[in-house]
Amino acid sequence: MWIEQYIEMKYPINSKEIKLEEAMELKHNHIPSSLYKYRGYSEYSIQNLKNDSV
């Protein structure tokens, strides 16, 4: 899994083997550009949509 590889690059046993740039590139390539959260219907959720608030 890429997360284990990321951790090994960023936090190696030997601190001289840190591969920070490679770790950041690996993370950037696997993190989605958008996340969504679905919420239940309630009076508050409708009010939040009307007021453009979270």
Side-chain angles (χ1 to χ4, degrees):
M1 179 174 260
W2 73 268
I3 297 174
E4 293 168 355
Q5 188 179 8
Y6 169 79
I7 292 170
E8 288 175 9
M9 287 179 177
K10 194 166 180 186
Y11 306 105
I13 294 171
N14 182 352
S15 63
K16 293 180 181 180
E17 297 176 359
I18 293 176
K19 299 176 183 174
L20 189 57
E21 289 183 24
E22 292 94 336
M24 292 296 128
E25 184 175 341
L26 181 67
K27 178 181 168 185
H28 178 75
N29 290 336
H30 288 88
I31 298 293
S33 59
S34 300
L35 295 175
Y36 298 93
K37 179 177 181 179
Y38 294 94
R39 299 179 59 181
Y41 172 81
S42 71
E43 185 64 35
Y44 295 111
S45 62
I46 298 300
Q47 202 64 24
N48 286 339
L49 286 172
K50 288 179 181 178
N51 295 332
D52 196 24
S53 64
V54 178

